Amino acid sequence: MQVTDVRTTPFADQKPGTSGLRKKVPVFQQPHYLENFVQSIFDSVPGLKGATLVLGGDGRYYNLTAIQTILKMAAANGVTQVLVGRDGLLSTPAASCVIRKHRATGGIVLSASPNPAGPTEDFGIKYNTDNGGPAPEKITEAIYARSRAIDHYRIMQADAVPLDRLGEQRLGDMRVVVIDPVADYAELMESLFDFPRIRALFQSGHFRMRFDAMHAITGPYAEEILLRRLGAPTDSLLNATPLEDFGGGHPDPNLTYAHALVDILFGTDAPDFGAASDGDGDRNMILGRNFFVTPSDSLAILAANATLVPGYAQGIAGIARSMPTSQAADRVAAALNLPCYETPTGWKFFGNLLDAGKVTLCGEESFGTGSDHVREKDGLWAVLFWLNLLAVRKQSVAGIVQEHWQRFGRNYYSRHDYEGVDSAAATALIEDLRAQFATLPGRRFGAYTVAYSDDFAYTDPIDASLSTNQGIRIGFTDGSRIVFRLSGTGTEGATLRVYLERYEADTTKQGLDSQTALADLIRIADELAGIARHTGRDRPTVIT
Ligand code: VG1
Ligand code: CO
């Protein structure tokens, strides 16, 4: 088969964001656009020549087209073997699992995660390294730099490789192995959690759950694990068939976009447990009967209860959370005498800590939780962790959370997103906040006094790499915080994220609705940042 060198010119906008390169499908469909980025990966990671590569995506529109192109480019670039999920499917955590288990040199994961899918919606691509995790900034920067200078890419002239049957095929000298996208992952889950005990919980007849796969990648995983291996009744699963356009939905498991599930859990005769995952299966939302567990609390609760789960029975080494995530996990770490790390937003910052054995559990406020079992956040893993806890503790979700607050205090927490705002206005808002840094400390806002204000910067404790401008923090003397960040995953305009947190130790004051408890801080955030003035919005698009 013939390899062609195709002449090309650079695109200026191929800078990976928080989690890979995300653009509208028509952007990726421009001639050479996808090819340029993929060749930039091969050029920046020379070790891929002669190596094994893992390939798969969340099944969204354009997934299969991109996979066929990447296969032909991998063959032309000297890759020895590609492990590709059947029908081009692999959830993000499953891709991480497969890379690690089969000792691949890396993986290419196709996803725009919770963003809507379809011919005019979003697509994405990212590179994961041999630890199974998203490439660190050093590599994404190199890929970007290469994309600015690229003048040709290599591709093999060949027919499409059939991906609907398991087994080995050849593309030139390269082996293409179509693998079951679920098998390795399901086996890993079974090694971590007490499946017999969870199975008994379902068989007891006193426990009902609903898992909403939101027509995205987790449907087949949930069918195998929850239904087949754990014996949950079939009505436990909602929207389990993956669709190219996610059924027209927005598979972001939060109170706004997963409202159908929220309505069930807050309705009459609600089940005991509800959960949802996102487009590529790495996020999770946890609900109890009439109860929402914030992702920050979920991380803290998993950490506090980890020894109840077989995979973590020996205890955990430490906890890491992204900077905007609430400090609930810090309190657990302090009580258990464990180290706790604060990293910038994005899972790539957890990789070094996990590899070095410094932490076992990691979490982000954006519905991401995970552990050292892979190097991505993992939606179904979090659901199974909660199921294992519920099976052991035999309490309701609300009961477990409330007991946690009594012991550690409650970190009231909320995130307000202003989606699709004008980019220049969003940048001006952030600049205005920066300009106030010098005068903020000591300033009083009602009962709150500013203790510090800064731009979060992070020095990786393992490789000393420095990441600056990772969000604006305004801390108050009582430990409350307001954080402002611009999203790095959007494809239209800018998204302003405002993160609000207040600690409440008094057990008689822990029952408030979070928006009520945070009302003063919400007002202060607007006063400081002029959100309405800059964005022209009088309320957030999404509140979680
Ligand atoms: C968002 C979240 C961040 C998460 C990232 C990728 O990034 O805030 O916590 O790691 O998405 O998640 P940003 O830059 O838009 O705030 V996923 O599930 O989209 O891979
Ligand atoms: Co995701």
Side-chain angles (χ1 to χ4, degrees), residues 192-213:
L192 294 172
F193 300 107
D194 191 341
F195 272 37
R197 204 151 183 174
I198 301 173
R199 175 175 273 277
L201 178 68
F202 283 121
Q203 276 168 352
S204 71
H206 300 301
F207 180 81
R208 286 180 302 138
M209 87 171 274
R210 291 287 179 278
F211 175 80
D212 191 348

Side-chain angles (χ1 to χ4, degrees), residues 43-226:
D43 291 348
S44 310
V45 189
L48 283 172
K49 199 170 175 170
T52 295
L53 179 73
V54 171
L55 178 61
D58 64 12
R60 68 177 57 227
Y61 184 86
Y62 207 57
N63 192 53
L64 281 172
T65 312
I67 283 190
Q68 293 295 346
T69 301
I70 296 167
L71 283 172
K72 287 179 218 168
M73 292 186 64
N77 279 279
V79 171
T80 305
Q81 164 171 270
V82 177
L83 307 180
V84 55
R86 185 181 45 226
D87 296 324
L89 298 179
L90 275 178
S91 77
T92 290
S96 187
C97 162
V98 171
I99 293 170
R100 295 168 68 76
K101 181 167 174 181
H102 298 277
R103 300 182 189 287
T105 294
I108 294 180
V109 184
L110 305 172
S111 167
S113 207
N115 300 4
T120 57
E121 299 292 353
D122 288 6
F123 190 72
I125 174 168
K126 71 172 176 171
Y127 181 70
N128 282 27
T129 53
D130 61 356
N131 71 350
E137 282 192 321
K138 190 169 72 220
I139 296 179
T140 57
E141 284 301 323
I143 294 170
Y144 174 53
R146 181 65 198 144
S147 78
R148 300 299 306 268
I150 193 163
D151 57 10
H152 74 277
Y153 62 83
R154 293 168 72 75
I155 189 158
M156 182 159 282
Q157 300 306 317
D159 292 335
V161 180
L163 298 176
D164 53 351
R165 240 169 306 125
L166 301 182
E168 240 179 83
Q169 304 167 59
R170 295 204 82 84
L171 190 58
D173 291 336
M174 186 179 83
R175 213 166 31 240
V176 178
V177 188
V178 178
I179 61 168
D180 179 337
V182 179
D184 289 330
Y185 177 81
E187 187 187 293
L188 178 59
M189 292 303 113
E190 201 152 359
S191 75
L192 294 172
F193 300 107
D194 191 341
F195 272 37
R197 204 151 183 174
I198 301 173
R199 175 175 273 277
L201 178 68
F202 283 121
Q203 276 168 352
S204 71
H206 300 301
F207 180 81
R208 286 180 302 138
M209 87 171 274
R210 291 287 179 278
F211 175 80
D212 191 348
M214 303 185 87
H215 286 304
I217 189 73
T218 43
Y221 293 84
E223 269 169 7
E224 173 61 28
I225 295 170
L226 297 176

Side-chain angles (χ1 to χ4, degrees), residues 18 22 113 278 282-283 364 366 377 485 487-489 497:
T18 313
R22 291 191 187 165
S113 207
D278 70 332
D282 57 359
R283 298 190 185 196
E364 294 192 280
S366 55
K377 55 189 187 275
R485 264 186 81 245
S487 157
T489 57
R497 305 201 194 282

